[in-house]
């Protein structure tokens, strides 16, 4: 029953995506898309220079997560981090897991020489704001602006385009499919069976990543 924090690894992706699903149904600006969340989580876990995902486990089950995405502050002349996707499973809220996760992330950032952590939260989520204030975060005077770069191809790339085998570099082209494995031409990668494997090296479907 003692919560343990650690860095997320590849096999945590499904559970973390599930937690993000809970978070995104709560937040106003975001909608949950398990496939997009899994893709992003894997991207971070496989590329530690992008950031770090921390999870808190109770009896071997992940009940909360938070991540730091890495950037640079020219003002400070140091690394800076964006704290994102802080979520605790509903049954475990108000039991100190959030504080554990934040402390873990802050300790990590200090140790690694980061000069600042920035985070965004919903304007009307007073509870979250109070929580972050209690963790030593102060509200910034800055205003958040966004531009979504979705021209209809970027976001849907994984559904419509080429995927690459990480093991051997084979490219799955949906226009061709994989006739030898009875994957018809025109089959998007997401619709290829999970039992399908790379026709060249037999790596599993999970070993493929979007070829951008
Ligand atoms: Fe392969």
């Amino acid at each position: 029953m003692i919560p343990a924090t650690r860095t997320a690894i590849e096999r945590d992706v499904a559970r973390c995506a599930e937690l993000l699903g809970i978070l995104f149904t709560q937040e106003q600006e975001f909608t949950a898309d398990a496939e997009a969340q899994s893709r992003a989580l894997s991207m971070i876990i496989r590329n530690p220079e992008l950031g770090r995902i921390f999870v808190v486990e109770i009896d071997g089950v992940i009940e909360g997560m938070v991540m730091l995405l890495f950037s640079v502050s020219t003002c400070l002349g140091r690394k800076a981090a964006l704290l994102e996707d802080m979520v605790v499973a509903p049954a475990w809220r108000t039991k100190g897991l959030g504080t554990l996760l934040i402390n873990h992330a802050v300790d990590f950032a200090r140790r690694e020489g980061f000069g600042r952590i920035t985070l965004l939260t919903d304007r009307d989520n007073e509870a979250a704001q109070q929580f972050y204030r209690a963790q030593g975060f102060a509200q910034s005077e800055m205003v958040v602006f966004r531009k979504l770069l979705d021209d209809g191809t970027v976001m849907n790339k994984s559904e419509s385009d080429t995927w690459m085998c990480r093991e051997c570099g084979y490219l799955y082209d949906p226009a061709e499919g994989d006739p030898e494995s009875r994957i018809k031409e025109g089959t998007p990668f997401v619709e290829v069976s999970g039992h399908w494997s790379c026709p060249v090296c037999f790596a599993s479907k999970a070993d493929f990543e979007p070829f951008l």
Side-chain angles (χ1 to χ4, degrees), residues 6-181:
R6 61 172 175 80
T7 301
I9 55 172
E10 193 82 37
R11 73 172 151 79
D12 301 328
V13 165
R15 174 60 178 154
C16 287
E18 214 172 276
L19 288 173
L20 289 180
I22 297 171
L23 179 69
F24 290 171
T25 43
Q26 247 164 238
E27 286 184 328
Q28 292 177 350
E29 281 196 26
F30 304 100
T31 44
D33 172 351
E35 144 104 27
Q37 272 89 77
S38 299
R39 196 160 66 235
L41 290 162
S42 295
M43 204 185 290
I44 298 162
I45 290 168
R46 284 180 209 142
N47 300 283
E49 72 279 7
L50 292 180
R52 214 65 99 238
I53 302 168
F54 305 111
V55 295
V56 58
E57 272 183 334
I58 292 171
D59 296 334
V61 179
I62 294 173
E63 301 291 4
M65 66 171 286
V66 70
M67 67 175 74
L68 290 176
L69 297 176
F70 304 159
S71 174
V72 174
S73 163
T74 49
C75 166
L76 299 175
R78 292 168 73 181
K79 291 185 287 184
L82 194 58
L83 186 142
E84 288 260 35
D85 297 338
M86 167 80 208
V87 55
V88 170
W92 287 95
R93 289 190 187 160
T94 70
K95 293 184 169 64
L97 296 194
T99 303
L100 260 180
L101 283 165
I102 295 279
N103 286 343
H104 191 86
V106 170
D107 287 347
F108 171 91
R110 275 220 181 87
R111 219 169 42 236
E112 298 288 322
F114 285 75
R116 186 184 64 216
I117 297 176
T118 303
L119 68 87
L120 305 175
T121 191
D122 274 336
R123 200 180 297 275
D124 64 357
N125 190 342
E126 195 44 54
Q129 292 175 29
Q130 218 166 41
F131 169 74
Y132 290 122
R133 276 191 207 100
Q135 306 300 323
F137 288 79
Q139 192 174 339
S140 158
E141 288 305 311
M142 308 285 279
V143 175
V144 180
F145 279 75
R146 295 205 159 97
K147 181 178 173 68
L148 278 180
L149 305 179
D150 179 14
D151 60 2
T153 56
V154 179
M155 297 287 279
N156 296 325
K157 196 160 181 72
S158 67
E159 286 157 33
S160 62
D161 231 322
T162 305
W163 282 61
M164 185 178 74
C165 173
R166 272 200 305 277
E167 298 301 321
C168 74
Y170 163 83
L171 295 178
Y172 176 83
D173 179 354
E176 293 174 12
D178 178 15
E180 283 183 26
S181 296

Side-chain angles (χ1 to χ4, degrees), residues 164-199:
M164 185 178 74
C165 173
R166 272 200 305 277
E167 298 301 321
C168 74
Y170 163 83
L171 295 178
Y172 176 83
D173 179 354
E176 293 174 12
D178 178 15
E180 283 183 26
S181 296
R182 295 185 189 169
I183 310 288
K184 282 187 215 149
E185 49 189 60
T187 307
F189 188 75
V190 286
E191 286 174 22
V192 172
S193 155
H195 301 298
W196 177 80
S197 56
C198 173

